[in-house]
Amino acid sequence: MSGFDDIPALLQERRTNNLYRQRRIVESPQARLITVNGRELLNLCSNDYLGLASDERVQQAFIDGAKKWGVGSGASHLVAGHTRAHHDLEEQLAAFTGRARALLFSSGYAANLGVINGLLGSRDAVFEDKLNHASLLDGGLLSRAHFKRFRHTDYDQLAGQLNALKDSGGRKLVVSDGVFSMDGDLCNLDALTRVAKQNNAWVMIDDAHGFGVIGDEGEGIVGADRCDSVQVLMGTLGKAFGTHGAFVAGSEELIETLIQQARTFIYTTALPSAVAVATTASLRIVRSEHWRREKLQSLIAQFRDGAGELGLSMLPSDTPIQPVLLGSETRALEVAGRLEDLGVLVVAIRPPTVPPGTARIRITLTANHTEADINHLLNALKQAVQ
Ligand SMILES: *Cc1c(COP(=O)(O)O)cnc(C)c1O
């Protein structure tokens, strides 16, 4: 007995319980239509909210960046991998968020692990919304800080948890998604920052799904006016920006601390400079092409009106993330399967990603979709949920 002998049975059990995860092989670029298994499908599960992943200008910047800087960055940021291209992008992200500094990470997952671990140790405490992204929860657990989760957006419960530790002496960090990735709703920043302030806690917001989509220039849910109440602001570049990586923005002292202490920043190879060059191009588009956000909002409204008429079980979301609750894993898989047969690609989201009994399909809309696409989606949904 090696202890690993149960692996085949565990895999089989996952299959039996409809929890088995499988990749599909995509044969085309990220766009409103993608090719899977030789079939062209309407893509309603991309986080490319503004349609920039395949934008010609962003692609060209990437090519130019690769010509200028090569492909690999060759070393970590603290060794010899931090180029002028990375540095310029960090300065522009700092200006964009209205913060003193910004720091690039190779992914959002790495940023969240690195920030929480860079700031907290075993004498400290971290407080997280139950629906926070897995990377935030993992960051909290890995830090060995006292780890508390509060019910989704229940800031009264958070206040009680903070108050219970008021004499503990250590650092307290409250962590939340800005836009929640499985439900599409927002945290209540006013309430959250008020409770944190009353209890001398810092606030970290992960606005992976808000950047690009929310705010006049796509600055997300945390404006520049909240520098003092949201001390740590994190965003990813692989979603609305259409490229790859992530950043953390905040004070001079925060960023210097992370450079010294965030292990996922220190012990990893820097992002390719070409990614930074492409992101600089995409940031310019994010800020200036307001029509992308306006179009997205109008598609969201069109979808919600139609889904309401169909009597679907929707969540209160005004963001591009539009879940349709279906309950069981079987039902979610069945509806996703029927939609795929009808040429529409959505994903079934099942436990443990969401709580048991709340399996769903998650539809994500992008500025690349058209009114006709939404009508097609609604027609397909009408048939699929029968
Ligand atoms: C996607 C996402 C991440 C992870 O970002 P990656 O760059 O994909 O690793 C972190 N937090 C939230 C809320 C996300 O949606």
Side-chain angles (χ1 to χ4, degrees), residues 311-327:
L312 299 176
S313 176
M314 308 292 293
L315 292 173
S317 159
D318 300 320
T319 67
I321 301 171
Q322 293 292 332
V324 178
L325 283 187
L326 293 163

Side-chain angles (χ1 to χ4, degrees), residues 248-261:
V248 175
S251 69
E252 182 74 30
E253 293 74 20
L254 171 75
I255 299 305
E256 283 303 316
T257 301
L258 296 179
I259 292 172
Q260 317 307 313
Q261 308 212 122

Side-chain angles (χ1 to χ4, degrees), residues 47 106-110 112 132-136 177-181 206-209 234 236-239 244-246:
N47 300 315
S106 51
S107 75
Y109 196 103
N112 285 338
N132 274 357
H133 191 265
S135 55
L136 293 171
D177 281 26
V179 175
F180 285 87
S181 53
D206 168 347
D207 206 15
H209 299 275
M234 178 273 189
T236 65
L237 303 173
K239 291 179 174 133
H244 192 87

